[in-house]
Amino acid sequence: MKLIFIGADHEVTGSCHYLNACGKHILVDYGMEQGINVFENSELPVQEALIDYVLLTHAHVDHSGLIPLLSARGFRGRILATKATADLCSIMLRDCAHIQMQEAEWKNRKAKRSAEITPHEPIYSMEDADTAIRRIVPCDYGREIELCEGLKIRFTDVGHLLGSSSIEVWATEEDVTRKIVFSGDIGNKNQPLIKDPSLTESADYVVMESTYGDRFHPGDHPDYVTELTKILKETFDRGGNVVIPSFAVGRTQEMLYFLRKIKVEGLVKGHEDFPVYVDSPLAVDATNIFHQNEMTCFDEEALAMVRAGINPLSFPGLSLSITSEESKAINFENTPKVIISASGMCEAGRIRHHLKHNLWRKECTILFVGYQAVGTLGRALIEGVKEVKLFGETIDVRASIKGLAGMSGHADKNGLIEWIGGFKEKPRRVFVVHGEDTVCKVFTECLRIEHGIKAYAPYSGTVFNLLSDKLEYEAEPIPIKKKARTVSDVFARLLAAGQRLLAIIHKNEGRANKDLAKFADQVNSLCDKWDD
C-alpha cells in the first residue's frame, strides 16, 4: 500500500497523487500545470492504460486538465467525482481540448513563416476529452462508495468551488485498514453562493493543500460590494471600462452575485444602468450548471433567493457573449461598462483581446479577483509591469491595476489550521502539497512546531509506505531545465500509443493461449508492415 507524489509538490498547479492499494492503481486528480513551474514532475509509476480509478476533488483545470491525456494514452477505468464536478468537467475538459487544438493550429501557422517544418499536435483531442467525460461517475456528497473489495471512498463538501470536495479513502490489505484523506483545495469561508467547508473527523494520513499557508485574509470579512461599487464609480466617472479577468467557473458567478446587488440597489450613482458583459461561452455554460446544482450546493442565503423566485446570477443590463462577433463588438461600444472574461490569469482566451483594447487607456481599470500564479501575465500586471506583448504587439500599461483584497476561493492560514484542527485525533502524518516552495516549507514548520502535528512536504517522486508508516524513497527537488525539442508531437503520440499497447499486453497475461497467440500474430503483422 503505497502513496507516490507526482504533481503540485512545492508548486501550486498540476495536482496529482498516485495510490497503490488492494491491487489497484489510483490517481487522485491529474491536473495541468499553469504559469512557471520550478521543479520537474515524476512520471506516473504505471502506464496510463493500467490505471483503474481517478478520484477527482474538483473541476479546476489544475486538478482535472490532463485527464483527457489519460484517455489518449489508453486509460479505460472509472473517474469518480461529485455530481456538480462531473457537470462542470463536461464543459471544462472540452474547453481544454479546444484550447489545445487552437494553440496547435496557431503554432503551425507560425511555423509556416519560419524554417520549422515539424508539425505541432495538441496534447489531446476533443475525442479524448469526450472519452474521458463518458467515464465520469457522478457521486453524492456524504455517501460511502465501495470501489472494489478493500477500497471505499467518500466525498465531503470543502467549499472551494461548486462540487469541490475532500476525499476520504479507506484501504484494507491483509486485515489492516488505513484511512487517507485528500483535502483537495480548501475553501474560504463566507463565499457567496456555495457552502462553507465541512470538516473531517478522522484519518491516518492527510494529503493537504497549502496555497495560502503563509498569509491571512483581512481580519474582518471584506465588504466586496462597497469596494467594487467604489471602483466602478471611479472608473465610469473617467469614462473607462472595468475589465475583470475571471475564472469562468466559480469567480465569474461570484462577481455576478455582487454586481446584481449593486445594480438592484442602484449603488453606482450616475451610472445605475451600466452594462455588464460576460464574454466567455464557458462561463455562460458554467452559470447554467450552477443553477442545475443549486439545491445541493448553494448556501442558505442563495437558496433563500431561489425559493423567493429570484435568480441570484442575473439582472437587467447583463449580456452574455457567445460568438466571436459578439465578443469583438464589446470594445466598439463606447458606454463605460464591465467586461468579465476568461482566463482568470490572462494566459489564454478572450480576456487577452480585451486587455489589448483597454490596458493602454488610463481611464480604464483592470480588476483582478483571483490568485495569479507565478509566471502568468496576470501576476506580471499585479506586480507592476510597464508593458506587455499581446498578439505580437507591445502594449503600454496605463490602465489602473487593482485587486479585491481577500477575494479568494482558498482558505488562508487560519482556515487551513481550522480544517486540520477538525480531526478529533491528530493524523499519523500530514503531507503538505499544493503550495509554492517557500509556502510549503513555512506551513509544514507551522504544523510541526506550533501544533505538534507530524508534517512533511514531499517533492515529486517521493514514495511513502502506508502500511509500514515509512518513507521508501525521499525525492530530491529537480529544477526544471529548458528542454530542446527533440521529437515531434506526432512522434510523441506514436510513442504513447506504443506504451498503451505494451500495457494492454501486460493486462492480457493469463488469458487463453489461443487468444494470446492471435494477439501476438496481430502485433507481429503490424510490426512487419512498418519495419522497413
Side-chain angles (χ1 to χ4, degrees):
M1 192 184 297
K2 296 181 182 179
L3 180 62
I4 303 179
F5 299 89
I6 305 296
D9 303 310
H10 292 257
E11 297 180 324
V12 178
T13 64
S15 288
C16 181
H17 318 293
Y18 166 82
L19 177 64
N20 178 249
C22 306
K24 301 297 183 182
H25 304 291
I26 304 159
L27 291 186
V28 180
D29 293 340
Y30 197 33
M32 190 173 284
E33 292 185 296
Q34 298 171 303
I36 293 176
N37 292 283
V38 181
F39 303 114
E40 294 280 4
N41 282 351
S42 291
E43 298 291 331
L44 295 179
V46 296
Q47 291 165 340
E48 289 84 352
L50 296 178
I51 294 168
D52 298 287
Y53 306 105
V54 176
L55 311 180
L56 184 57
T57 61
H58 65 285
H60 276 152
V61 172
D62 64 321
H63 290 255
S64 69
L66 288 184
I67 289 176
L69 185 61
L70 293 179
S71 296
R73 294 179 175 176
F75 168 73
R76 295 299 181 266
R78 288 192 290 162
I79 303 164
L80 291 99
T82 64
K83 182 181 181 300
T85 296
D87 290 343
L88 289 173
C89 281
S90 70
I91 59 172
M92 293 181 73
L93 296 184
R94 289 188 177 99
D95 186 66
C96 279
H98 178 67
I99 290 172
Q100 306 308 315
M101 295 165 72
Q102 275 190 325
E103 288 184 350
E105 181 182 352
W106 177 80
K107 287 178 181 177
N108 285 327
R109 287 201 307 268
K110 186 177 178 182
K112 289 179 180 178
R113 301 193 296 268
S114 68
E116 185 177 354
I117 59 173
T118 304
H120 294 266
E121 287 284 322
I123 62 172
Y124 54 76
S125 67
M126 191 66 71
E127 181 181 357
D128 298 324
D130 287 336
T131 299
I133 290 164
R134 288 194 294 269
R135 298 197 168 275
I136 299 177
V137 180
C139 304
D140 294 328
Y141 281 125
R143 182 170 67 88
E144 290 188 9
I145 301 162
E146 186 172 4
L147 297 182
C148 62
E149 185 177 352
L151 270 177
K152 63 180 181 179
I153 65 171
R154 180 166 61 196
F155 294 91
T156 299
D157 193 341
V158 80
H160 171 67
L161 175 72
L162 190 84
S164 66
S165 62
S166 59
I167 305 176
E168 299 166 87
V169 179
W170 291 265
T172 302
E173 288 184 2
E174 301 175 2
D175 296 325
V176 177
T177 299
R178 293 285 187 258
K179 182 180 179 185
I180 311 101
V181 173
F182 298 87
S183 75
D185 285 356
I186 300 166
N188 192 8
K189 281 188 169 183
N190 299 312
Q191 292 188 84
L193 297 172
I194 63 175
K195 299 173 183 176
D196 286 349
S198 298
L199 302 178
T200 301
E201 294 186 349
S202 66
D204 295 308
Y205 299 99
V206 175
V207 179
M208 182 180 182
E209 70 112 331
S210 61
T211 310
Y212 281 179
D214 67 338
R215 70 199 80 173
F216 301 97
H217 297 321
D220 297 326
H221 186 64
D223 184 350
Y224 294 123
V225 169
T226 298
E227 192 173 349
L228 180 56
T229 298
K230 180 182 177 183
I231 292 170
L232 295 178
K233 179 163 175 52
E234 289 176 351
T235 306
F236 294 161
D237 284 348
R238 296 194 302 261
N241 300 322
V242 176
V243 179
I244 305 177
S246 180
F247 298 104
V249 181
R251 195 50 43 81
T252 291
Q253 290 72 35
E254 292 176 14
M255 295 308 298
L256 291 177
Y257 188 84
F258 295 139
L259 288 166
R260 179 197 169 277
K261 183 176 179 65
I262 291 170
K263 293 276 285 187
V264 168
E265 297 182 10
L267 299 180
V268 186
K269 302 303 180 184
H271 306 279
E272 289 84 356
D273 296 327
F274 67 89
V276 176
Y277 293 89
V278 174
D279 187 24
S280 167
L282 179 62
V284 173
D285 289 340
T287 301
N288 291 331
I289 289 173
F290 268 66
H291 288 305
Q292 293 165 18
N293 290 274
E294 57 194 17
M295 300 310 295
T296 55
C297 295
F298 277 15
D299 62 16
E300 285 305 315
E301 182 179 343
L303 273 178
M305 296 174 68
V306 172
R307 293 185 181 116
I310 299 170
N311 184 342
L313 300 177
S314 185
F315 46 83
L318 174 63
S319 298
L320 308 177
S321 300
I322 305 297
T323 67
S324 58
E325 289 74 19
E326 290 171 335
S327 175
K328 292 173 184 175
I330 293 172
N331 286 297
F332 293 98
E333 165 57 53
N334 293 326
T335 305
K337 66 188 79 65
V338 174
I339 304 170
I340 305 174
S341 188
S343 70
M345 297 186 193
C346 307
E347 286 297 280
R350 294 182 178 183
I351 187 62
R352 294 172 72 87
H353 292 277
H354 296 301
L355 292 176
K356 179 180 177 180
H357 284 279
N358 291 274
L359 265 177
W360 58 272
R361 298 177 58 196
K362 62 182 180 181
E363 64 270 26
C364 294
T365 298
I366 313 300
L367 177 61
F368 287 95
V369 294
Y371 181 80
Q372 303 299 309
V374 174
T376 62
L377 176 57
R379 183 70 164 252
L381 289 169
I382 284 284
E383 292 179 345
V385 67
K386 299 301 181 185
E387 62 179 32
V388 299
K389 184 162 279 192
L390 291 166
F391 307 105
E393 182 180 345
T394 299
I395 309 292
D396 290 335
V397 179
R398 299 195 188 105
S400 175
I401 308 296
K402 292 186 177 293
L404 285 183
M407 185 83 179
S408 173
H410 284 273
D412 66 358
K413 184 177 180 179
N414 285 336
L416 295 176
I417 295 298
E418 181 178 343
W419 184 85
I420 195 65
F423 290 86
K424 291 184 176 179
E425 294 185 5
K426 292 176 182 176
R428 292 171 180 246
R429 197 178 301 234
V430 173
F431 299 99
V432 177
V433 299
H434 204 286
E436 292 177 4
D437 187 31
T438 302
V439 178
C440 276
K441 294 172 182 175
V442 167
F443 188 66
T444 299
E445 288 303 297
C446 169
L447 293 180
R448 289 171 54 191
I449 296 171
E450 298 178 32
H451 300 277
I453 294 172
K454 195 173 184 179
Y456 173 71
Y459 286 97
S460 181
T462 295
V463 181
F464 186 82
N465 190 310
L466 296 162
L467 291 179
S468 66
D469 191 37
K470 292 181 180 178
L471 284 166
E472 287 194 357
Y473 175 70
E474 189 170 5
E476 294 291 328
I478 302 175
I480 284 182
K481 295 179 180 177
K482 190 170 183 179
K483 297 177 180 177
R485 187 181 178 87
T486 56
V487 298
S488 73
D489 292 331
V490 177
F491 186 69
R493 183 180 173 191
L494 178 60
L495 286 175
Q499 291 171 349
R500 179 186 174 193
L501 176 60
L502 185 59
I504 292 172
I505 290 171
H506 285 299
K507 288 181 76 171
N508 276 272
E509 184 177 4
R511 291 189 64 166
N513 288 339
K514 179 178 69 175
D515 293 335
L516 293 179
K518 182 178 180 181
F519 192 2
D521 288 343
Q522 291 172 341
V523 172
N524 284 325
S525 176
L526 182 64
C527 292
D528 290 341
K529 178 179 179 181
W530 291 95
D531 188 18
D532 52 16

